[in-house]
Coordinates of all heavy atoms in Angstrom, one line a residue:
R1 N 0.8 -1.2 0.0 CA 0.0 0.0 0.0 C 0.8 1.3 0.0 O 0.4 2.2 -0.7 CB -0.9 0.0 1.3 CG -2.2 -0.7 1.2 CD -3.0 -0.4 2.3 NE -2.5 -0.4 3.6 CZ -2.4 -1.5 4.4 NH1 -2.9 -2.7 4.0 NH2 -1.8 -1.4 5.6
D2 N 2.0 1.2 0.7 CA 2.7 2.5 0.9 C 4.0 2.7 0.2 O 4.5 3.8 0.2 CB 3.1 2.5 2.5 CG 1.9 2.3 3.4 OD1 0.9 2.6 2.9 OD2 2.2 2.0 4.5
K3 N 4.6 1.7 -0.3 CA 5.9 1.9 -0.9 C 5.9 1.8 -2.4 O 5.6 1.0 -3.1 CB 6.9 0.8 -0.4 CG 7.0 0.8 1.2 CD 7.6 1.9 1.7 CE 7.7 1.9 3.2 NZ 7.9 3.1 3.9
P4 N 6.5 3.0 -3.1 CA 6.4 3.1 -4.4 C 7.4 2.0 -5.1 O 7.3 1.6 -6.2 CB 6.9 4.4 -4.9 CG 7.5 4.9 -3.5 CD 6.9 4.2 -2.4
W5 N 8.4 1.4 -4.4 CA 9.1 0.5 -4.8 C 8.7 -0.9 -4.8 O 9.3 -1.9 -5.4 CB 10.6 0.5 -4.3 CG 10.5 0.6 -2.7 CD1 10.6 1.7 -2.0 CD2 10.4 -0.5 -1.8 NE1 10.5 1.4 -0.6 CE2 10.3 0.0 -0.4 CE3 10.1 -2.0 -1.9 CZ2 10.1 -0.8 0.6 CZ3 9.9 -2.6 -0.8 CH2 10.0 -2.2 0.4
W6 N 7.6 -1.2 -4.2 CA 7.0 -2.5 -3.9 C 6.9 -3.4 -5.2 O 7.2 -4.5 -5.2 CB 5.7 -2.5 -3.3 CG 5.1 -3.9 -2.9 CD1 4.2 -4.4 -3.6 CD2 5.7 -4.8 -2.0 NE1 3.9 -5.7 -3.2 CE2 4.8 -5.9 -2.2 CE3 6.6 -4.8 -1.0 CZ2 5.0 -7.1 -1.3 CZ3 6.9 -5.9 -0.4 CH2 6.1 -7.2 -0.4
P7 N 6.4 -2.7 -6.3 CA 6.2 -3.6 -7.6 C 7.4 -4.3 -8.1 O 7.5 -5.2 -8.9 CB 5.7 -2.6 -8.6 CG 4.9 -1.6 -7.8 CD 5.8 -1.3 -6.5
R8 N 8.7 -3.8 -7.6 CA 9.8 -4.2 -8.1 C 10.2 -5.5 -7.3 O 11.2 -6.3 -7.7 CB 11.0 -3.2 -7.8 CG 10.7 -2.0 -8.8 CD 11.7 -0.9 -8.4 NE 13.2 -1.3 -8.9 CZ 14.1 -0.4 -8.6 NH1 13.9 0.7 -8.1 NH2 15.3 -0.9 -9.0
V9 N 9.6 -5.8 -6.2 CA 10.0 -6.9 -5.4 C 9.5 -8.3 -6.0 O 8.4 -8.4 -6.4 CB 9.5 -6.9 -3.9 CG1 9.5 -8.1 -3.2 CG2 9.7 -5.6 -3.2
T10 N 10.6 -9.2 -6.2 CA 10.2 -10.5 -6.8 C 10.8 -11.6 -5.9 O 10.2 -12.8 -6.1 CB 10.9 -10.7 -8.2 OG1 12.3 -10.4 -8.0 CG2 10.5 -9.6 -9.2
Q11 N 11.6 -11.2 -4.9 CA 12.0 -12.3 -4.0 C 11.8 -11.9 -2.5 O 12.1 -10.7 -2.2 CB 13.5 -12.7 -4.2 CG 13.7 -13.1 -5.6 CD 15.3 -13.2 -5.9 OE1 16.0 -13.5 -4.9 NE2 15.7 -12.8 -7.0
R12 N 11.4 -12.7 -1.7 CA 11.1 -12.4 -0.3 C 12.0 -13.5 0.5 O 11.6 -14.7 0.4 CB 9.7 -12.5 0.2 CG 8.8 -11.6 -0.7 CD 7.5 -11.8 -0.3 NE 6.4 -11.0 -1.2 CZ 5.3 -11.0 -1.2 NH1 4.6 -11.9 -0.3 NH2 4.5 -10.4 -2.1
E13 N 12.7 -13.0 1.3 CA 13.5 -14.0 2.2 C 13.1 -13.7 3.7 O 13.1 -12.5 4.1 CB 15.1 -13.8 2.1 CG 15.7 -14.0 0.7 CD 17.0 -13.6 0.6 OE1 17.7 -13.3 1.6 OE2 17.5 -13.4 -0.6
I14 N 12.7 -14.7 4.4 CA 12.4 -14.6 5.8 C 13.2 -15.5 6.7 O 13.4 -16.6 6.5 CB 10.9 -14.9 5.9 CG1 10.1 -14.0 5.1 CG2 10.4 -14.8 7.5 CD1 8.5 -14.4 5.1
E15 N 13.9 -14.8 7.8 CA 14.5 -15.5 8.7 C 14.1 -15.3 10.1 O 13.9 -14.1 10.5 CB 16.0 -15.0 8.6 CG 17.0 -15.5 9.6 CD 18.5 -15.1 9.5 OE1 18.7 -14.2 8.7 OE2 19.4 -15.7 10.1
W16 N 13.7 -16.4 10.8 CA 13.1 -16.2 12.2 C 14.1 -16.2 13.3 O 15.0 -16.8 13.3 CB 12.1 -17.3 12.4 CG 10.8 -17.1 11.4 CD1 10.7 -17.8 10.3 CD2 9.7 -16.3 11.8 NE1 9.5 -17.2 9.7 CE2 8.7 -16.5 10.6 CE3 9.4 -15.5 12.8 CZ2 7.7 -15.8 10.6 CZ3 8.1 -14.8 12.7 CH2 7.3 -14.9 11.5
F17 N 13.7 -15.4 14.3 CA 14.6 -15.3 15.5 C 13.7 -15.5 16.8 O 12.5 -15.3 16.7 CB 15.2 -14.0 15.7 CG 16.2 -13.7 14.5 CD1 15.9 -13.3 13.3 CD2 17.6 -14.1 14.8 CE1 16.8 -13.2 12.3 CE2 18.6 -13.8 13.8 CZ 18.1 -13.4 12.6
N18 N 14.2 -16.0 17.8 CA 13.3 -16.3 19.0 C 12.9 -15.0 19.9 O 12.0 -15.1 20.6 CB 14.2 -17.2 19.9 CG 14.5 -18.5 19.4 OD1 13.6 -19.1 18.7 ND2 15.5 -19.1 19.7
S19 N 13.4 -13.8 19.4 CA 12.9 -12.7 20.2 C 13.2 -11.5 19.4 O 13.9 -11.5 18.4 CB 13.9 -12.3 21.5 OG 15.1 -12.0 21.2
R20 N 12.4 -10.4 19.7 CA 12.4 -9.2 19.0 C 13.8 -8.4 19.0 O 14.3 -8.0 18.0 CB 11.3 -8.2 19.5 CG 11.3 -6.9 18.8 CD 10.5 -7.0 17.6 NE 10.4 -5.8 16.9 CZ 9.5 -5.5 15.9 NH1 8.7 -6.4 15.5 NH2 9.5 -4.3 15.2
E21 N 14.5 -8.7 20.1 CA 15.7 -8.1 20.3 C 16.7 -8.9 19.3 O 17.6 -8.0 18.8 CB 16.2 -8.2 21.8 CG 15.5 -7.4 22.8 CD 14.1 -7.8 23.0 OE1 13.7 -9.0 22.9 OE2 13.3 -7.0 23.5
E22 N 16.7 -10.0 19.3 CA 17.6 -10.7 18.4 C 17.4 -10.4 17.0 O 18.3 -10.0 16.2 CB 17.5 -12.3 18.4 CG 18.0 -13.0 19.6 CD 17.8 -14.4 19.5 OE1 18.5 -15.1 18.7 OE2 17.0 -14.9 20.2
A23 N 16.2 -10.3 16.6 CA 15.8 -9.8 15.2 C 16.1 -8.5 14.9 O 16.7 -8.0 13.8 CB 14.3 -10.1 15.0
S24 N 16.0 -7.6 15.8 CA 16.3 -6.1 15.7 C 17.8 -6.0 15.5 O 18.3 -5.2 14.7 CB 16.0 -5.3 16.8 OG 14.5 -5.3 16.8
R25 N 18.6 -6.7 16.2 CA 20.1 -6.7 16.2 C 20.5 -7.0 14.7 O 21.4 -6.5 14.0 CB 20.8 -7.5 17.2 CG 21.0 -6.9 18.5 CD 21.9 -7.5 19.4 NE 21.5 -8.9 19.7 CZ 20.7 -9.3 20.7 NH1 20.2 -8.3 21.5 NH2 20.4 -10.5 21.0
E26 N 19.9 -8.1 14.2 CA 20.3 -8.7 12.9 C 19.8 -7.7 11.8 O 20.5 -7.4 10.8 CB 19.5 -10.1 12.7 CG 19.7 -10.6 11.3 CD 21.2 -10.8 10.7 OE1 22.0 -10.8 11.5 OE2 21.3 -10.7 9.5
E27 N 18.7 -7.1 12.0 CA 18.2 -6.1 11.0 C 19.2 -4.9 10.9 O 19.5 -4.6 9.8 CB 16.8 -5.5 11.5 CG 16.2 -4.4 10.6 CD 15.1 -3.6 11.0 OE1 15.0 -3.4 12.2 OE2 14.4 -3.2 10.2
I28 N 19.6 -4.4 12.0 CA 20.6 -3.3 12.0 C 21.8 -3.8 11.3 O 22.5 -3.0 10.5 CB 20.9 -2.9 13.4 CG1 19.6 -2.0 13.8 CG2 22.1 -1.9 13.4 CD1 19.6 -1.7 15.3
R29 N 22.4 -4.9 11.7 CA 23.6 -5.6 11.0 C 23.4 -5.6 9.5 O 24.2 -5.2 8.9 CB 23.8 -6.9 11.6 CG 25.3 -7.4 11.2 CD 25.4 -8.9 11.1 NE 24.5 -9.6 10.2 CZ 24.6 -9.7 9.0 NH1 25.6 -9.1 8.3 NH2 23.7 -10.3 8.1
A30 N 22.2 -6.2 9.0 CA 22.1 -6.4 7.7 C 22.0 -5.0 6.9 O 22.5 -4.9 5.8 CB 20.7 -7.2 7.3
I31 N 21.3 -4.0 7.4 CA 21.1 -2.7 6.8 C 22.6 -2.1 6.8 O 22.9 -1.5 5.7 CB 20.1 -1.7 7.6 CG1 18.8 -2.3 7.4 CG2 20.3 -0.3 7.2 CD1 17.7 -1.6 8.4
T32 N 23.3 -2.1 7.8 CA 24.6 -1.5 7.7 C 25.7 -2.2 6.9 O 26.5 -1.5 6.2 CB 25.2 -1.1 9.1 OG1 25.3 -2.4 9.8 CG2 24.4 -0.2 10.0
R33 N 25.5 -3.4 6.7 CA 26.6 -4.3 6.0 C 26.0 -4.4 4.5 O 26.9 -4.6 3.5 CB 26.8 -5.4 6.6 CG 27.6 -5.3 7.9 CD 28.0 -6.7 8.4 NE 28.8 -6.5 9.6 CZ 29.2 -7.5 10.4 NH1 28.7 -8.7 10.2 NH2 29.8 -7.2 11.5
E34 N 24.7 -4.7 4.2 CA 24.3 -5.1 3.0 C 23.8 -3.8 2.1 O 23.6 -4.0 1.0 CB 23.2 -6.2 3.2 CG 23.7 -7.4 3.9 CD 22.7 -8.4 4.2 OE1 21.7 -8.5 3.5 OE2 22.8 -8.9 5.3
L35 N 23.5 -2.8 2.8 CA 23.1 -1.6 2.1 C 22.0 -1.7 1.2 O 22.1 -1.5 0.0 CB 24.3 -0.8 1.4 CG 25.4 -0.3 2.3 CD1 26.5 0.2 1.4 CD2 24.9 0.7 3.3
P36 N 20.8 -2.1 1.8 CA 19.5 -2.2 1.0 C 19.3 -0.8 0.3 O 19.4 0.2 1.0 CB 18.5 -2.6 1.8 CG 19.0 -2.4 3.2 CD 20.3 -2.4 3.2

C-alpha cells in the first residue's frame, strides 16, 4: 500500500529469531553491511 518500490519486489527471504531483540540486532547488522 505504502511503498512506491514494492512492484519491483520479486523475492522475499524470511529468517526467524526467538526474540524481537535478536531480530532487531540482525536487522541493523544487515542494513549497515548489505546496504539495501
